[in-house]
């Protein structure tokens, strides 16, 4: 088993709705908003043919915020790099064999707010040790709801991004 390449990058933002509008003015088509279950974080994704950019921010500060407070203290920007793999368990074994001491897999879910209907998406996360890439959270993301994550309309960006 090997990693499938870069799945997505995470860009932390202070104001999620403002970031959605700003990236929209830059010619990107954001997905509907997602909310991470049992966490105070939410996101908009900018889907590309291969991979995507995740705009992630705090939507409910009363809940755990997925360690976003520390990066936000330094300002918005790139905070995470996710690699893809077909299986979280296989990715963890592969990374352990490479001497990287991963943590997980951990099952996470988020709700995609689509036209008044919440669609639940699941994924497994395998974290690499802090410092694998200095200053960037590095992890493997295994999508368990691939069909619901990749709507064709979300790939059509007025700026031509592919």
């Amino acid at each position: 088993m090997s990693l499938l390449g870069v799945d997505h990058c995470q860009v932390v933002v202070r104001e999620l709705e403002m970031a959605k509008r700003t990236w929209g003015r830059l010619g990107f088509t954001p997905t509907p908003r997602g909310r991470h279950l049992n966490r105070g974080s939410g996101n908009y994704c900018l889907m590309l043919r291969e991979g995507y950019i995740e705009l992630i921010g705090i939507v409910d500060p009363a809940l755990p915020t997925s360690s976003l407070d520390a990066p936000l203290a330094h300002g918005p920007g790139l905070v995470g790099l996710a690699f893809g793999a077909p299986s979280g368990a296989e990715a963890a074994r592969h990374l352990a064999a490479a001497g990287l001491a991963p943590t997980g897999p951990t099952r996470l879910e988020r709700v995609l707010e689509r036209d008044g209907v919440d669609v639940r998406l699941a994924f497994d996360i395998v974290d690499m040790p802090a410092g694998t890439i200095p200053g960037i959270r590095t992890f493997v993301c295994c999508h368990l709801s691939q069909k619901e994550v990749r709507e064709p309309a979300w790939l059509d960006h007025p700026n031509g991004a592919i």
Side-chain angles (χ1 to χ4, degrees):
M1 199 282 319
S2 63
L3 301 180
L4 302 175
V6 173
D7 182 75
H8 68 279
C9 65
Q10 293 180 313
V11 176
V12 70
V13 299
R14 284 197 171 95
E15 298 287 336
L16 193 55
E17 298 306 315
M18 184 186 325
K20 173 193 172 196
R21 290 189 302 274
T22 299
W23 286 74
R25 285 193 307 271
L26 291 171
F28 288 94
T29 303
T31 63
R33 189 176 84 159
R35 287 179 288 110
H36 299 103
L37 294 182
N38 303 314
R39 296 172 184 239
S41 56
N43 66 8
Y44 286 103
C45 296
L46 311 169
M47 306 305 287
L48 304 168
R49 282 189 197 160
E50 294 183 24
Y52 60 97
I53 301 166
E54 177 185 9
L55 306 176
I56 187 168
I58 297 172
V59 295
D60 186 348
L63 293 172
T65 56
S66 304
S67 304
L68 296 178
D69 295 325
L72 280 172
H74 291 88
L78 183 67
V79 294
L81 183 62
F83 296 94
S87 160
E90 287 181 28
R93 283 192 295 275
H94 175 77
L95 294 170
L100 290 174
T103 305
T106 303
R107 178 69 44 93
L108 296 176
E109 293 182 304
R110 71 180 170 108
V111 172
L112 194 63
E113 301 166 341
R114 289 190 73 178
D115 305 318
V117 177
D118 288 349
V119 177
R120 187 173 279 202
L121 306 175
F123 43 99
D124 285 339
I125 298 294
V126 178
D127 280 301
M128 294 184 209
T132 299
I133 298 177
I136 302 288
R137 177 182 176 223
T138 314
F139 61 103
V140 176
C141 181
C142 304
H143 294 277
L144 304 174
S145 310
Q146 189 66 29
K147 180 181 176 232
E148 293 84 359
V149 171
R150 305 222 47 103
E151 289 285 328
W154 301 337
L155 300 173
D156 185 20
H157 302 286
N159 64 14
I162 56 171

